[in-house]
Amino acid sequence: MNHRTRIIKTTGVIAAFCISLSAQLTASAQTSKKLTSYVNPFIGTGAVKGSLSGNNYPGATVPFGMVQLSPDTRDEPEWDAACGYDHNDSFIAGFSHTHLSGTGAPDLFDILFMPYTGDEKTRAGDAKQVGSGYGSRFSHANESARAGYYQVKLDDHDINVELTATAHAGFHRYTFPKNSKAKVVIDLNHSLKKPNFGCQVIAAQFKMVNDHAVEGFRVITGWAKLRKVYFYAEFNKTIKSNDLVNGGTQNFDQKLLNGTDLRAIFDFDVADGKPVLAKIALSTVSTQNAKLNLDTEIPNWNFYQTVTQADSKWEKELEKIKVEGTAEQKEIFYTCLYHTFIQPNNYADVNGDYTAIDYTVHNTKGGFYSTFSLWDTYRAAHPLYTLVQPERTAGFVNSMISQYNTYGYLPIWQLWGQENYCMIGNHAIPVVVDAVLKGTPGIDINKAYEAVKNSSITNHPGSPFKAWEKYRYIPENIQSQSVSLTLEMAYDDWCVAQLAKKLSKTADYQHFMQRSQNFKNLYDIQSGFFRAKDTDAKWQTPFNPLQYGGNGGNPYTEGNAWQYNWYVPQDVKGLISLTGGDKKFTAKLDTFFTLTSKPGEVNGNASGFIGQYAHGNEPSHHITYLYNYAGQPWKTQFYVAKIMSELYNTSSSGYAGNEDCGQMSAWYVFSAMGFYPVNPASGVYVIGAPAMKKSVMRLSPIKTFTVLAPNRTAENIYIQSAKLNGKVYTHTYITQKDITDGGVLEFVMGNKPNMNWGTAINDRPVK
């Protein structure tokens, strides 16, 4: 070897080393990239071509916080912008402090702030005016958002608005044009469109505390009845003058004003070019508690410090699941996880005070949570919480039990601590039972059983238990939505039975297990569908399995007979038997996913269609996984992969339907990891087709559960083989114990179905 050769070879080694080091540094940089950088709050904020989008807001909030500070693009938000914001709008009415995430109905929008210059500007040709006159046009080119932060330029006033939040407070930063007539309005009459849901402001008050602060309240009724919202607000600049307005009556430099149509307009000096900062905290109890919340959570005027703190809170929560995939997949995944962790909301004050459902003040050490969209979230969001939010799960369950203690039964749809009875069934029951059976600490198991049992025998809107016991189905002429009610109440009863069994309450177990089989009483063998009967046990006619129902006046809730044909999660084997066995069951599933005929009056909640499958609404969410129960898991893999790739994206229309307080997102989070809770309270997760090359779920500081699919690509969607903790694994499900024990589930993926993997009877899901 000559010297020159040695130099060449040494150079090659150095080059190779440099390339390797560069690759490692690049990989390290990608690995160390903050997870919050993948969150895109604009996903799901606006429909394209008339589709549903998610109904999400882009504003600032922290995980499970009481305050959601976000722009409202409507002066009176309605159903089509239930979160207050629509990405297709170009006008902002103001920034209110409470919002619902992804719901199909509007409410909240409390304590709206809006900065403006005070200069009268004509808006010739602009048809979108608001009654207040202080709104502004804006452009998405001058708008940005990330976890815990929102920014927009108000074009009509040349004001840059920045927002951030803590658990109970919002923080505003307004940069006005220098020497402009800087004004800030606070609107206590801003709400959903009146008189929808009987919405009206019953009482409101402004009280000037000093030349930097104002406090007050409003009592309002709407979708949530009779909400009390107290606030305390401070500004960094002196309020030069105020105009307190009640309806059309102005009251200049007045210290106190009571009424029902209140606005306060404050003037500020911005000649120094420095921004106007505003901090406002909320409470359900008092203005004193609102001030305590503010002093505790934002003690200084460092806006960007609060932004950083919000980002850190989100990073901590998102780190509970770390995934490896494409940049687009990670953007969808972490935005989904972000949306799942927005609610339920802890609206107890920092001292533990909160207003209970009976309007008395209670105190708690573990937080009091509300915003329970249970008809949606019991399916996947709450099972996800039991895995990665066990402490908060105890808070959720204890908050539900608190309602039971005062109100007599568990929540149906609880908002701002009040019951609004939206949707059907008793789906706090599976949430409570699931948490208890999984051993979630901090829950009184005997009290939990008392709550679920009594909630299953007490008549209330949406669950007519006397008819249930008498007929063993719900007759349509007693209560509409009868087929959906029968199927969903049967599932809830199965959940009660499982907790009774754990507590050795044999008689209760047998009674509720018998009721859980009531679904069979509405199955029509001739048509092959669950159909409505009247009290005389005769089938209701005419019958069209494609006919949609909404929320009353039809046997089906936000769906049709095709979509509800599969809702027996507690006894899929029994459903297969009713259908005629595995072959007929899978053949009918094949038809379900390919039958494109639709009636003229498809319900507005129905979207995201694959045949009759409608991913945009929750009754369909488990159906793709049912092939596993009948020995054709490769079809589950195909449809799960299809939904993830086609019905989720990174645009403003990123969801196939209303996001519904985390359920649409939780479906993706579970499915992208590779499994889903078909029966949410069973502790069994049915395997689909993992989308990520790697998913690591952090269960404790020292324990993780990892799913590997290193050769997963857009084409490689089919499972070829699997191993669990290094051993060959052929089951098409995993259990709660498999996950909580920690370990590794590894898949080999391919572009063609392996029709031998997971097809044996013993490999099928057990529950």
Side-chain angles (χ1 to χ4, degrees):
M1 183 182 295
N2 61 37
H3 180 65
R4 185 171 183 272
T5 303
R6 287 199 303 271
I7 292 174
I8 292 172
K9 289 190 174 183
T10 303
T11 304
V13 170
I14 294 172
F17 172 77
C18 291
I19 293 171
S20 175
L21 179 61
S22 175
Q24 290 178 39
L25 291 173
T26 300
S28 176
Q30 290 176 346
T31 302
S32 62
K33 186 176 180 180
K34 294 187 71 171
L35 301 181
T36 52
S37 68
Y38 294 106
V39 173
N40 178 359
F42 290 111
I43 293 178
T45 58
V48 173
K49 297 180 181 178
S51 66
L52 293 173
S53 66
N55 228 336
N56 299 108
Y57 60 82
T61 190
V62 296
F64 306 101
M66 179 187 189
V67 164
Q68 307 87 31
L69 177 52
S70 190
D72 293 337
T73 60
R74 311 285 175 86
D75 196 42
E76 294 182 307
E78 294 191 70
W79 300 86
D80 57 341
C83 67
Y85 180 96
D86 189 327
H87 199 267
N88 297 300
D89 293 340
S90 58
F91 192 88
I92 288 177
F95 307 93
S96 59
H97 289 77
T98 57
H99 294 84
L100 289 167
S101 181
T103 58
D107 205 358
L108 305 185
F109 315 114
D110 294 304
I111 324 299
L112 180 139
F113 274 48
M114 185 65 177
Y116 68 109
T117 57
D119 299 322
E120 295 299 327
K121 293 188 176 183
T122 61
R123 301 186 180 100
D126 187 354
K128 196 160 193 178
Q129 290 289 321
V130 294
S132 56
Y134 47 74
S136 174
R137 289 169 292 190
F138 77 105
S139 167
H140 295 305
N142 296 314
E143 183 187 36
S144 63
R146 58 183 187 268
Y149 173 84
Y150 173 85
Q151 171 275 328
V152 69
K153 180 183 177 184
L154 301 177
D155 291 340
D156 286 340
H157 307 299
D158 194 24
I159 300 169
N160 189 57
V161 174
E162 296 173 273
L163 309 173
T164 190
T166 63
H168 298 86
F171 203 164
H172 306 237
R173 188 177 191 270
Y174 307 142
T175 303
F176 289 87
K178 193 173 182 179
N179 295 318
S180 63
K181 297 178 181 178
K183 296 177 180 288
V184 175
V185 63
I186 305 176
D187 191 338
L188 300 188
N189 193 43
H190 178 70
S191 69
L192 66 98
K193 186 174 179 62
K194 304 178 184 74
N196 293 354
F197 291 114
C199 179
Q200 62 174 318
V201 176
I202 296 170
Q205 182 187 87
F206 282 117
K207 182 179 180 181
M208 300 303 301
V209 178
N210 53 48
D211 62 2
H212 283 77
V214 60
E215 65 183 22
F217 65 86
R218 78 169 178 177
V219 180
I220 185 171
T221 188
W223 191 26
K225 306 305 178 188
L226 200 65
R227 296 186 304 112
K228 298 179 180 180
V229 187
Y230 298 89
F231 73 92
Y232 186 92
E234 293 180 353
F235 296 90
N236 68 323
K237 289 177 175 283
T238 301
I239 300 171
K240 292 170 53 183
S241 62
N242 73 60
D243 179 8
L244 303 185
V245 182
N246 186 11
T249 304
Q250 294 178 280
N251 301 272
F252 292 99
D253 295 319
Q254 187 164 306
K255 301 298 183 183
L256 177 71
L257 186 65
N258 293 288
T260 58
D261 182 9
L262 300 190
R263 293 186 300 280
I265 302 169
F266 299 136
D267 292 281
F268 297 93
D269 186 347
V270 292
D272 59 5
K274 295 181 179 180
V276 174
L277 302 179
K279 304 184 295 185
I280 173 176
L282 305 184
S283 169
T284 68
V285 174
S286 66
T287 54
Q288 292 86 351
N289 273 22
K291 186 177 188 302
L292 176 64
N293 291 339
L294 188 61
D295 292 343
T296 303
E297 294 182 353
I298 314 180
N300 55 43
W301 289 99
N302 191 331
F303 177 84
Y304 294 114
Q305 181 184 68
T306 304
V307 172
T308 300
Q309 290 169 348
D311 180 84
S312 295
K313 288 180 179 180
W314 277 114
E315 186 72 14
K316 179 182 177 182
E317 299 303 326
L318 298 177
E319 284 179 344
K320 293 181 176 179
I321 305 178
K322 291 187 176 181
V323 299
E324 294 179 10
T326 67
E328 181 181 21
Q329 285 177 323
K330 292 174 80 170
E331 184 175 341
I332 294 171
F333 185 92
Y334 283 111
T335 303
C336 281
L337 199 58
Y338 165 83
H339 282 140
T340 306
F341 290 169
I342 284 178
Q343 67 290 294
N345 307 114
N346 179 12
Y347 87 170
D349 295 326
V350 294
N351 64 359
D353 289 350
Y354 68 94
T355 298
I357 195 168
D358 62 354
Y359 299 104
T360 62
V361 176
H362 293 206
N363 188 273
T364 178
K365 301 301 181 184
F368 181 81
Y369 291 87
S370 192
T371 316
F372 289 120
S373 183
L374 289 162
W375 186 79
D376 310 292
T377 56
Y378 85 93
R379 304 167 194 263
H382 281 282
L384 182 63
Y385 299 144
T386 64
L387 290 170
V388 295
Q389 299 284 353
E391 292 182 1
R392 283 196 174 93
T393 292
F396 302 158
V397 169
N398 289 329
S399 297
M400 294 179 191
I401 292 174
S402 176
Q403 171 170 318
Y404 163 74
N405 288 335
T406 303
Y407 207 59
Y409 42 84
L410 293 166
I412 310 303
W413 211 121
Q414 192 199 78
L415 176 59
W416 204 261
Q418 296 300 310
E419 184 58 67
N420 64 30
Y421 294 107
C422 185
M423 307 310 295
I424 61 171
N426 293 262
H427 299 317
I429 290 172
V431 172
V432 173
V433 170
D434 182 43
V436 172
L437 294 182
K438 288 176 179 173
T440 304
I443 301 171
D444 183 333
I445 185 171
N446 291 301
K447 189 66 178 182
Y449 182 71
E450 176 191 322
V452 298
K453 178 182 177 180
N454 287 336
S455 295
S456 297
I457 60 177
T458 304
N459 270 348
H460 57 79
S463 293
F465 286 109
K466 288 184 178 180
W468 187 234
E469 291 280 9
K470 180 178 179 180
Y471 297 99
R472 297 181 62 194
Y473 62 89
I474 300 300
E476 180 69 14
N477 59 330
I478 286 182
Q479 189 149 334
S480 67
Q481 306 177 69
S482 62
V483 175
S484 296
L485 269 167
T486 296
L487 296 171
E488 295 189 22
M489 290 170 68
Y491 174 68
D492 292 336
D493 283 344
W494 181 89
C495 295
V496 180
Q498 305 316 299
L499 193 49
K501 181 179 181 180
K502 182 177 179 64
L503 294 173
S504 299
K505 297 180 182 293
T506 305
D508 283 356
Y509 169 73
Q510 292 174 346
H511 178 70
F512 286 107
M513 280 299 288
Q514 182 183 49
R515 288 198 344 187
S516 77
Q517 292 292 300
N518 283 354
F519 68 89
K520 294 178 180 177
N521 298 325
L522 289 187
Y523 191 78
D524 175 20
I525 295 177
Q526 185 173 355
S527 68
F529 290 97
F530 292 105
R531 291 181 54 187
K533 288 180 179 177
D534 290 335
T535 50
D536 61 3
K538 292 183 179 179
W539 299 116
Q540 188 181 67
T541 56
F543 172 67
N544 176 3
L546 294 171
Q547 179 67 48
Y548 268 81
N551 300 99
N554 186 281
Y556 306 96
T557 302
E558 297 188 5
N560 63 18
W562 268 108
Q563 287 146 14
Y564 266 96
N565 186 70
W566 316 100
Y567 191 79
V568 189
Q570 75 275 22
D571 189 7
V572 179
K573 289 182 180 179
L575 177 62
I576 292 173
S577 179
L578 279 178
T579 308
D582 290 347
K583 288 185 178 180
K584 289 186 177 180
F585 184 78
T586 53
K588 192 165 186 176
L589 274 173
D590 291 343
T591 301
F592 174 74
F593 281 106
T594 55
L595 180 62
T596 57
S597 300
K598 302 181 185 71
E601 57 274 9
V602 172
N603 182 270
N605 286 297
S607 58
F609 281 101
I610 302 174
Q612 287 303 299
Y613 179 89
H615 192 68
N617 211 15
E618 281 68 21
S620 288
H621 275 193
H622 68 294
I623 302 175
T624 52
Y625 288 88
L626 296 183
Y627 281 108
N628 283 9
Y629 291 79
Q632 295 187 355
W634 64 90
K635 291 181 180 177
T636 284
Q637 296 155 29
F638 172 81
Y639 283 114
V640 169
K642 182 179 179 68
I643 292 166
M644 285 190 288
S645 65
E646 296 181 6
L647 298 181
Y648 290 83
N649 62 65
T650 58
S651 76
S652 65
S653 60
Y655 292 99
N658 291 328
E659 201 275 333
D660 286 321
C661 292
Q663 170 56 29
M664 195 74 70
S665 291
W667 187 96
Y668 186 91
V669 170
F670 267 126
S671 296
M673 289 192 293
F675 48 89
Y676 184 82
V678 169
N679 178 341
S682 68
V684 173
Y685 303 86
V686 182
I687 291 172
M692 301 298 176
K693 293 181 180 294
K694 183 178 182 180
S695 304
V696 181
M697 188 186 310
R698 179 161 53 84
L699 305 169
S700 73
I702 60 172
K703 189 179 292 185
T704 60
F705 183 75
T706 300
V707 181
L708 299 175
N711 66 328
R712 171 65 156 94
T713 64
E715 294 77 28
N716 290 350
I717 63 172
Y718 295 106
I719 296 172
Q720 305 300 299
S721 62
K723 290 181 179 180
L724 179 62
N725 298 326
K727 295 181 180 180
V728 173
Y729 195 77
T730 57
H731 295 326
T732 57
Y733 64 92
I734 56 174
T735 67
Q736 179 75 9
K737 189 175 186 300
D738 291 330
I739 295 174
T740 56
D741 282 351
V744 179
L745 177 62
E746 185 172 4
F747 295 103
V748 175
M749 309 298 290
N751 60 7
K752 294 181 180 180
N754 178 356
M755 297 183 184
N756 294 314
W757 182 84
T759 59
I761 292 177
N762 291 336
D763 289 329
R764 302 176 187 181
V766 293
K767 293 181 181 178

